[in-house]
């Protein structure tokens, strides 16, 4: 039996999955990334996990492996250039190091690119040619599929849609620039906008708060909007406007067949889609907008899934 | 001898060129498009010109032909969907009609795409993989080269960078939307901004005006800036800021190796590049900006040239 191995390395958790050729999950392993302890320690834990997984599935031939990593990736050379989310790691030759320790070949990409590949395969079965995938979470990332292939751009940075600027004089972004899409539509920005409008935060938490600690997050705001809460509805409507402005320009540049929305914030899609579509209607070159189809992917594990699938597919080329 | 035929159909003029395989111009023909007279008449004049050119160069084998056309083009089916610049023509099957009348096969694209291909071939000899070409004129258009090929997008509209929005609450654009890049950096917008700042227009015309009728256009403003005129310098600096904002976001999405600037407004590049670069320095994801090279193409005939080259190259695929 052939299988694909996918590794998703995030600031908090690292996840390894093994999937069959038919995309069935055979095994899932998760551990804390703990990048502050340094790269050598992380590499040891990761290799150990992969090798033990290989032993456990000795009857399975791992015919492809992929790594998605939060950061600036040199996918051609398999090097992490820099990651602010991984304790500032720089110049990490992860692909070569892992190859030595596990005997496998890896295709490494930015995590958003891997998630984009996952969405492309799972939602569209690779049938569309040109697709823009947006991961809407704390951060906003993206990936671009061009003519059925993951498009890296010249330095592997293509699809950095979260820091495309929708208003040069606008909100300060965590990246240091102003007016980035993420500064308006990242989950933090959405919640901050809601909090600034909520008069009695404690009452709001009690009524709509999410989870055991009654957090006001995008899930809470989606539920609140469902219940008819005006503040939440307004916040989602604004979010949709900003997304429509940002995506609209990208659609003019990329002219994709599909826009796929993923990530936690896309759980609010039913509330932001109407205003997002209205904002896109303002664009006067209509053909790309008339033809595009917008879908929301409910799959929460696109990162590791996409990495495994990409590992499998990269063997085809 | 093999040759390529290129046709550039603009709102005012239609240009036909015949080039050798080595890109030498063998012949150039120009006539008024006069789209108001209707498509049938235009088709007759165009076919006649092509057939007489074929007769004249009967020793030459035209191995590829390309058409660049201002408008919304269905390049797969060779149909002009709609062109506001060509008297609102709609649903014109130009490729089939010309094939019938001239016996040649044509690749048809939006004129900006053809100009982009021309710039890619002439400036870079097709050696880079991923390139964004911006045509800065009365309108702003663009074309995208991905992995060495012209990228059409799903409806042939990819690269419509002029109507990407840099400020959703900003200047009214001729297209009907607000804040489009073209509304700030198209030649009309630049001149309008200058005129609003010039106190004595007649004196300014006398001093810097371009051509026999002493026009204040982007050439005049480039000359004025050369001569140290503060107003012109300020206008160009603002233009650079807007371009930097617009291109910056596109560079994050596309991550090209090169950005090539063409068109009349790029004649002011020496005056807008400093502020354009400064605006791009505000973007915090640095890798794509550190690696990109920005060049200005001085070739004025990229449209017809690109069409001829594209016609030649499309035969290769």
């Amino acid at each position: 039996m052939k299988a694909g191995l996918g590794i998703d390395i995030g600031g908090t958790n690292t996840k390894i999955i093994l999937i069959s050729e038919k995309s069935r999950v055979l095994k899932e392993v998760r551990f804390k990334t703990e990048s502050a302890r340094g790269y050598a320690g992380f590499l040891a834990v990761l290799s150990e996990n992969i090798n033990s997984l290989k032993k456990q599935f000795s009857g399975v031939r791992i015919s492809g492996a992929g790594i998605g990593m939060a950061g600036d990736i040199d996918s051609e050379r398999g090097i992490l250039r820099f990651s602010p989310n991984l304790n500032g790691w720089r110049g990490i030759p992860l692909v070569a190091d892992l190859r030595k320790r596990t005997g496998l070949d890896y295709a490494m990409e930015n995590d958003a690119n891997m998630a984009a590949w996952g969405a492309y395969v799972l939602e569209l079965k690779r049938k569309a040619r040109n697709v823009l995938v947006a991961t809407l979470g704390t951060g906003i990332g993206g990936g671009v599929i061009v003519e059925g292939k993951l498009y890296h751009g010249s330095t592997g940075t293509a699809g950095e849609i979260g820091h495309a600027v929708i208003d040069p004089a606008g909100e300060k972004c965590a990246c240091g620039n102003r007016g980035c899409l993420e500064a308006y539509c990242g989950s933090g920005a959405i919640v901050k906008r809601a909090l600034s409008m909520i008069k009695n935060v404690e009452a709001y938490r009690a009524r709509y708060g999410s989870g055991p600690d009654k957090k006001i997050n995008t899930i809470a705001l989606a539920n609140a909007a469902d219940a008819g809460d005006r503040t939440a509805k307004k916040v989602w409507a604004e979010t949709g406007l900003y997304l429509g402005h940002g995506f609209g320009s990208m659609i003019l540049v990329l002219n994709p067949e599909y826009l796929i929305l993923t990530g936690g914030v896309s759980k609010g899609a039913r509330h932001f889609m109407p205003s997002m579509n209205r904002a896109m209607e303002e664009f006067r070159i209509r053909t790309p907008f008339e033809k595009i189809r917008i879908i929301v992917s409910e799959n929460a594990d696109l990162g590791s899934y996409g990495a495994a699938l990409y590992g499998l597919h990269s063997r085809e080329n």
Side-chain angles (χ1 to χ4, degrees), chain A:
Chain A
M1 193 171 102
K2 270 164 71 174
L5 184 76
I7 304 168
D8 184 49
I9 305 171
T12 310
N13 291 305
T14 291
K15 195 169 158 190
I16 309 173
I17 72 169
L18 189 69
I19 62 168
S20 73
E21 261 186 308
K22 299 210 161 123
S23 305
R24 199 165 54 82
V25 177
L26 305 173
K27 177 80 182 184
E28 223 181 281
V29 182
R30 213 183 265 265
F31 62 91
K32 294 272 169 222
T33 305
E34 294 182 295
S35 55
R37 291 193 321 180
Y39 170 63
F42 170 78
L43 178 64
V45 175
L46 178 58
S47 319
E48 227 168 76
N49 271 290
I50 295 170
N51 285 327
S52 106
L53 206 146
K54 276 180 68 181
K55 225 175 267 172
Q56 211 183 321
F57 288 84
S58 55
V60 165
R61 191 167 69 80
I62 297 176
S63 63
I67 307 169
M69 204 164 185
D72 183 358
I73 306 290
D74 181 339
S75 57
E76 244 167 74
R77 300 193 299 152
I79 289 174
L80 171 72
R81 287 198 195 95
F82 175 58
S83 177
N85 299 318
L86 296 169
N87 206 36
W89 289 358
R90 250 178 220 285
I92 301 282
L94 182 59
V95 164
D97 288 346
L98 271 187
R99 190 192 297 127
K100 212 184 292 171
R101 282 164 182 77
T102 66
L104 293 173
D105 256 331
Y106 298 83
M108 182 154 84
E109 290 284 338
N110 175 282
D111 54 351
N113 279 353
M114 286 304 194
W117 188 256
Y120 175 60
V121 178
L122 293 174
E123 299 295 335
L124 303 177
K125 316 290 172 218
R126 299 166 81 185
K127 271 174 194 155
R129 308 294 299 158
N130 305 308
V131 179
L132 172 62
V133 183
T135 308
L136 309 172
T138 316
I140 293 183
V144 182
I145 312 296
V146 167
E147 301 302 338
K149 289 191 175 166
L150 182 63
Y151 174 63
H152 308 86
S154 69
T155 66
T157 340
E160 276 290 1
I161 63 170
H163 301 282
V165 168
I166 59 168
D167 181 359
E171 297 286 327
K172 194 93 186 150
C173 180
C175 79
N177 199 2
R178 279 192 177 281
C180 301
L181 186 60
E182 188 172 302
Y184 293 89
C185 304
S187 60
I190 295 171
V191 169
K192 198 175 139 196
R193 230 169 26 246
L195 287 173
S196 77
M197 289 162 64
I198 295 168
K199 276 167 207 128
N200 185 336
V201 174
E202 281 318 302
Y204 203 91
R205 280 181 58 164
R207 190 151 177 195
Y208 300 116
S210 158
D213 40 354
K214 293 283 183 183
K215 264 194 188 163
I216 297 183
N217 52 22
T218 49
I219 297 169
L221 292 172
N223 293 338
D226 279 336
D229 175 66
R230 278 200 192 176
T231 304
K233 280 178 149 181
K234 184 155 190 276
V235 168
W236 283 120
E238 286 171 0
T239 303
L241 273 181
Y242 297 130
L243 288 173
H245 290 144
F247 290 144
S249 294
M250 293 170 208
I251 287 167
L252 286 181
V253 173
L254 291 172
N255 186 203
E257 236 171 304
Y258 283 89
L259 166 63
I260 307 182
L261 307 180
T262 74
V265 171
S266 63
K267 301 260 180 285
R270 60 187 179 280
H271 301 299
F272 68 64
M273 287 285 260
S275 61
M276 184 177 112
N277 287 328
R278 264 198 312 281
M280 287 192 191
E281 277 163 23
E282 289 166 20
F283 288 80
R284 300 320 312 154
I285 297 178
R286 295 309 306 157
T287 311
F289 294 97
E290 279 159 12
K291 303 281 177 178
I292 198 169
R293 276 170 285 185
I294 302 175
I295 57 181
V296 178
S297 174
E298 302 287 350
N299 195 308
D301 277 331
L302 289 172
S304 52
Y305 227 112
L309 290 165
Y310 193 74
L312 275 174
H313 300 147
S314 69
R315 301 282 94 193
E316 294 167 13
N317 300 324

